[in-house]
Amino acid sequence: MPGTVALVVAAGRGRRIGGETPKQYLPLGGQPMLRRSLSAFLSHDGIDAVTAVIRPDDRALFDAASAGLDVLPPVAGGATRRESVLRGLESLETSAPERVLIHDGARPLVTADIIDRVLAALDEAPGAIAALPVTDTLKRGAEGRIEATVARAGLWRAQTPQGFRFAEILKAHRAAWKADSGAEFTDDAAVAEQAGLPLVLVAGSEENIKVTTEEDFRRAERLAAASAGELRVGMGFDAHRFGPGDHVWLCGLRIPHEQALSGHSDADVGLHALTDALLGAIGAGDLGRHFPPSDPKWRGASSDGFLRFAGELVAARGGRIVNLDLTLICESPRIDPHRDAMIARIAEILGVPRDRVSVKATTTEEMGFTGRGEGIAAQAVAAVRLPIAAQ
C-alpha cells in the first residue's frame, strides 16, 4: 500500500495559449509542461506513486508526454476540476494511501523543497497547502472603478501542491459533491475548509507559477531555462607509451597484457582523458595542475581518485554530468571484451547512471605510434550542466 500518492490534475482545456493543444501538453524548455509536473513528484523520495487525471480525448497527448515515466494509469476527468479531483481520489480508494498531494498539471516548476514542506506539515495537520503572502495593495472594483481597499493582512495566495490525509479529503470531496450547494470551490483547500478540516500554510515560491496566459508561459520558459542551467563541454586527451610489465590499467580495470603503460601514476589513459574533459568543462585547468607529476606522492597513484576529484569539483559548483564519451586508440589489448565493465567502473567512480557513459575503441590502421604498438592514446568529451551565474 503506497504511503503518499501525488495526484496531478490535468483534465482542463485551457487554450488561451498554444491554439488547439491544451496548455499542459505544450513544450516548455523541450518538455511538455505536464511531464515536468509528473517528473517533479516521481523524483521525490517522499512520493510513492504518481497518477494524473486527464480528459479522455487527450490520451494520446498524455501517453506521449509521459512516455518512459513510471506513472499509474491515468484517470478520466469530469466536467469540472472538482469532479476531476473526486474521480482521481476515488481511483485511489482501493490502494488507500495514507496521504495524497493534489497538484495542478499547469504548475510545471514545482520544486522538491516545496513538496518537502507540504509533506512535513502533514505530520502535524490533516491538510497543508503551499502559499505566498499577499504583498500588493488590494482593491475591490466594479465597471473599472474602485469601490474599496481590501486589507491585505493575513491574506495568502494559494498554490499547489495541496496535501491531505487521504481518507479525510476523499470524505470531504464526496460530501461537497453530494451537497451540491452551488458553493464555488476553486481549490481543494476550500473543500477541506467546508468539511471543517484544519489546514496549515507552508511557503510556496514565486517561481511555482500556474501557466494560464501567454505572459505566464513566456515567464515559465525563462525560469525553466535558468533552472536547467547552461551546458558546458570539455575535451580531454592523453597518451602513454608501453614499457615492461604484464598488465595495463584502463578505465579503472586491471587488464592482462604483455606490456604495461609507463607513467608517473598508474598511467590509465582512459581515466586521465576523462578527468581532463571534466576539468575542462568547468574551466578548472587540467590533470597536471591538480596532480603534478613532479610531486612524488602521486607516484603509482590510482587514477580513479583523479576522476572522482573532477566529479566532486563539478558537484561542488552545483553542476551535474550530462554524459561522457571516451575513445581508446590502440592496436592492443582488445577493448570490446572489457567495454561493459569499463562503463560500469566509470559510472561507479562518478556516481552517474551507466547510460550516461560511452566507451569506444578504434585503431589508426597501423599508422603512428599507436599503430606501431608503442602505446595507447585516449580522447574524451564531457558534457556538464552548470547553474547560470548571476550577471
Side-chain angles (χ1 to χ4, degrees), residues 25-105:
Y25 297 105
L26 293 176
L28 183 70
Q31 294 184 53
M33 279 198 283
L34 180 57
R35 186 180 185 88
R36 286 181 174 271
S37 298
L38 296 170
S39 296
F41 292 95
L42 285 168
S43 63
H44 195 284
D45 290 341
I47 304 298
D48 299 295
V50 178
T51 191
V53 184
I54 68 169
R55 186 181 176 92
D57 293 347
D58 294 340
R59 182 59 189 263
L61 289 170
F62 175 81
D63 288 346
S66 62
L69 299 182
D70 186 18
V71 295
L72 298 175
V75 180
T80 65
R81 183 188 185 281
R82 183 158 61 96
E83 183 180 3
S84 293
V85 172
L86 177 57
R87 289 187 179 187
L89 292 172
E90 289 182 333
S91 76
L92 300 172
E93 188 172 17
T94 300
S95 58
E98 179 184 355
R99 305 182 295 186
V100 62
L101 267 58
I102 304 172
H103 185 68
D104 291 330

Side-chain angles (χ1 to χ4, degrees), residues 118-336:
V118 174
L119 290 175
L122 288 179
D123 291 336
E124 307 295 332
I129 74 168
L132 291 173
V134 172
T135 56
D136 294 326
T137 297
L138 298 178
K139 302 291 184 181
R140 180 180 293 111
E143 298 180 355
R145 294 180 178 273
I146 295 175
E147 294 183 340
T149 298
V150 179
R152 67 190 180 198
L155 295 182
W156 293 71
R157 295 152 47 202
Q159 298 184 330
T160 65
Q162 299 187 352
F164 307 93
R165 295 173 186 164
F166 175 76
E168 294 180 70
I169 192 62
L170 175 58
K171 181 179 178 181
H173 263 282
R174 280 176 167 165
W177 186 260
K178 183 177 181 180
D180 195 21
S181 63
E184 184 179 1
F185 298 102
T186 56
D187 69 354
D188 303 290
V191 175
E193 293 164 36
Q194 178 78 8
L197 297 180
L199 309 178
V200 297
L201 299 162
V202 302
S205 168
E206 290 289 355
E207 297 183 358
N208 184 27
I209 62 172
K210 185 175 182 179
V211 177
T212 303
T213 66
E214 289 188 7
E215 176 55 35
D216 294 335
F217 185 79
R218 287 192 291 269
R219 183 182 171 208
E221 281 274 333
R222 294 192 296 270
L223 292 170
S227 64
E230 59 183 358
L231 189 67
R232 300 277 195 90
V233 176
M235 297 181 66
F237 179 84
D238 193 41
H240 284 277
R241 68 174 65 247
F242 282 126
D246 61 1
H247 68 276
V248 294
W249 283 97
L250 284 176
C251 300
L253 301 183
R254 188 182 191 275
I255 298 174
H257 192 57
E258 61 269 17
Q259 292 177 294
L261 288 173
S262 299
H264 189 66
S265 63
D266 62 7
D268 189 327
V269 291
L271 296 191
H272 290 183
L274 287 168
T275 301
D276 266 352
L278 285 174
L279 293 174
I282 61 174
D286 58 18
L287 184 66
R289 172 183 167 187
H290 297 280
F291 306 97
S294 57
D295 190 336
K297 73 178 178 181
W298 304 121
R299 184 176 298 281
S302 174
S303 296
D304 58 357
F306 303 159
L307 183 59
R308 188 175 295 109
F309 170 81
E312 289 170 352
L313 278 187
V314 171
R317 299 190 184 189
R320 65 181 180 88
I321 297 169
V322 177
N323 75 294
L324 300 166
D325 187 18
L326 173 69
T327 301
L328 298 169
I329 307 166
C330 60
E331 296 294 328
S332 64
R334 291 189 64 235
I335 302 302
D336 193 61

